[in-house]
Amino acid sequence: DSETIFRQQLGRGMRPGKEKLIVLDFVGNAERIQMLKKMTNTIADYHEKFTTPEERDSEGYSKDKFHLTGKGFEFTFTDTVVEIMALIDRVNVETVLDPFLSTPILMSILSF
């Protein structure tokens, strides 16, 4: 499974003693982009939970929707990824019941 392999690659790059990890994802997999965004949000949440505001200030901690940096980590999403994520946010998936087969059908609704 490609997600498992991707997580293994990230794990190898984030081992203790590594100074920097650069991830170049040329696949452009929307699910992977969502997974990375969720991971950066989780890291930010834990970092804010376990450090004081003074510690965050002294290390240069910075967080906005598509950029996160602190002591030992930095995540920056490119403009293209930001555009892809905006499109993903605009897609709503809703489940409806097929009246003839009595089975659920997924419908994607793109809102503009």
Side-chain angles (χ1 to χ4, degrees), residues 78-96:
T78 64
D79 291 340
T80 302
V81 170
V82 171
E83 290 171 13
I84 291 169
M85 292 173 74
L87 285 172
I88 291 169
D89 287 344
R90 290 174 29 194
V91 174
N92 297 313
V93 177
E94 109 181 15
T95 303
V96 296

Side-chain angles (χ1 to χ4, degrees), residues 13-111:
M14 295 179 359
R15 288 182 180 153
K18 303 279 183 170
E19 290 184 29
K20 187 178 229 180
L21 169 66
I22 298 175
V23 177
L24 302 174
D25 184 3
F26 297 105
V27 176
N29 183 327
E31 291 172 350
R32 187 172 293 157
I33 292 170
Q34 289 176 306
M35 180 186 72
L36 283 171
K37 182 65 178 131
K38 183 177 177 181
M39 183 181 76
T40 60
N41 290 341
T42 301
I43 289 170
D45 291 345
Y46 278 112
H47 192 66
E48 290 173 7
K49 181 177 179 179
F50 294 109
T51 58
T52 65
E54 293 79 19
E55 289 172 318
R56 292 191 296 274
D57 285 344
S58 71
E59 72 182 24
Y61 179 74
S62 171
K63 173 183 147 184
D64 64 34
K65 190 170 182 180
F66 299 108
H67 180 81
L68 175 67
T69 188
K71 185 177 180 182
F73 59 89
E74 180 175 1
F75 298 92
T76 303
F77 293 91
T78 64
D79 291 340
T80 302
V81 170
V82 171
E83 290 171 13
I84 291 169
M85 292 173 74
L87 285 172
I88 291 169
D89 287 344
R90 290 174 29 194
V91 174
N92 297 313
V93 177
E94 109 181 15
T95 303
V96 296
L97 193 62
D98 182 317
F100 301 106
L101 302 174
S102 297
T103 57
I105 301 171
L106 291 178
M107 293 180 60
S108 293
I109 304 161
L110 190 58
S111 59

